[in-house]
Amino acid sequence: MTGFIELDERVITCEDAAELQLQQPHVVRLETRPPNLEGQGEVTMRDLVKNCLRMRPERIIVGEVRGPEAFDLLQAMNTGHDGSMGTLHANSPREALQRIESMITMGGYGLPSKTIREMMVGSIDIIIQAARLRDGSRRITHVTEVLGTEGDTIITQDLFVYDISGENENGKLVGRHRSTGIARPAFWDRAKYYGKEQELAEALDAAAE
């Protein structure tokens, strides 16, 4: 996904260990640091996310969201850092949203669930689910957009899903990505703003065929 980032954008990555290998020329890599023997000098993921906001990034990439830094990342996404992203472990797009809410709650912010969910809806456009299939291969299984809230429930809809059609002679699963028929996603106007509506339309048409 990072291969689609424009070369003139300033990207800052926040990781526990610098593993991402971005090829853009304007990349700043930040790493967490454990405390020393005296218990001092620790740099947490929250520290990295908060400090990188002062470095004028176009995009912020958090290698893996594991704790209360989820709140800081959502805040960044909500305050002009469009295109920022992070990864987390979950079994489905719906569970990913629940996990983000749990991580923010564990951070001790004392925010009501409705406020957290409204922040998530205002910050997150797309959830891309990757899964390891039973043959050991990894596939993107869902591309799901976040639409809004209805009461206390976050509303999502799948744009693409991966359908398994069978196995080949080597025991590898065979399948294809299928469009769910959504011709105009909710983020269409944003894609149009960035001049990407034609590419988005072609991708939706190709998956629908």
Side-chain angles (χ1 to χ4, degrees):
M1 288 182 62
T2 59
F4 293 97
I5 297 177
E6 299 291 339
L7 297 180
D8 61 347
E9 294 188 21
R10 181 176 173 84
V11 183
I12 299 181
T13 64
C14 303
E15 301 177 84
D16 286 320
E19 297 173 333
L20 294 173
Q21 300 295 321
L22 276 69
Q23 303 303 311
Q24 286 76 8
H26 306 295
V27 178
V28 178
R29 296 175 173 86
L30 303 180
E31 284 186 80
T32 60
R33 185 174 64 195
N36 59 22
L37 293 176
E38 288 76 30
Q40 298 177 341
E42 181 181 17
V43 179
T44 67
M45 188 66 76
R46 286 203 67 193
D47 295 329
L48 297 184
V49 175
K50 285 192 284 188
N51 278 281
C52 76
L53 296 176
R54 303 187 182 99
M55 302 169 70
R56 296 180 299 162
E58 265 84 40
R59 296 177 186 265
I60 300 169
I61 301 176
V62 179
E64 185 174 343
V65 181
R66 291 192 179 99
E69 67 271 9
F71 177 81
D72 301 289
L73 180 59
L74 292 184
Q75 288 277 68
M77 291 177 174
N78 228 345
T79 53
H81 297 88
D82 289 344
S84 297
M85 64 186 84
T87 66
L88 57 88
H89 291 286
N91 292 322
S92 68
R94 172 65 60 184
E95 288 188 24
L97 294 172
Q98 294 171 352
R99 182 134 192 266
I100 292 174
E101 183 176 347
S102 297
M103 288 188 287
I104 294 175
T105 302
M106 288 188 296
Y109 294 102
L111 297 173
S113 294
K114 185 175 182 180
T115 301
I116 296 174
R117 290 169 187 171
E118 287 174 351
M119 182 188 301
M120 291 163 59
V121 167
S123 305
I124 302 171
D125 295 313
I126 290 289
I127 300 171
I128 298 177
Q129 176 81 32
R132 183 190 294 274
L133 304 182
R134 58 182 171 83
D135 64 351
S137 63
R138 289 185 180 273
R139 294 286 186 274
I140 292 176
T141 57
H142 294 80
V143 177
T144 303
E145 68 172 334
V146 180
L147 296 178
T149 58
E150 188 173 291
D152 289 335
T153 303
I154 296 178
I155 306 301
T156 63
Q157 69 178 7
D158 294 333
L159 299 179
F160 299 97
V161 295
Y162 186 73
D163 288 339
I164 298 173
S165 57
E167 295 183 8
N168 61 18
E169 62 276 8
N170 298 318
K172 295 292 184 180
L173 295 176
V174 178
R176 63 183 295 270
H177 289 96
R178 171 180 57 84
S179 170
T180 58
I182 305 298
R184 193 177 177 114
F187 58 86
W188 179 273
D189 290 338
R190 181 170 294 188
K192 185 176 181 181
Y193 174 78
Y194 288 103
K196 300 294 184 181
E197 75 275 14
Q198 184 62 37
E199 294 179 35
L200 179 59
E202 290 173 358
L204 291 167
D205 290 342
E209 292 177 357

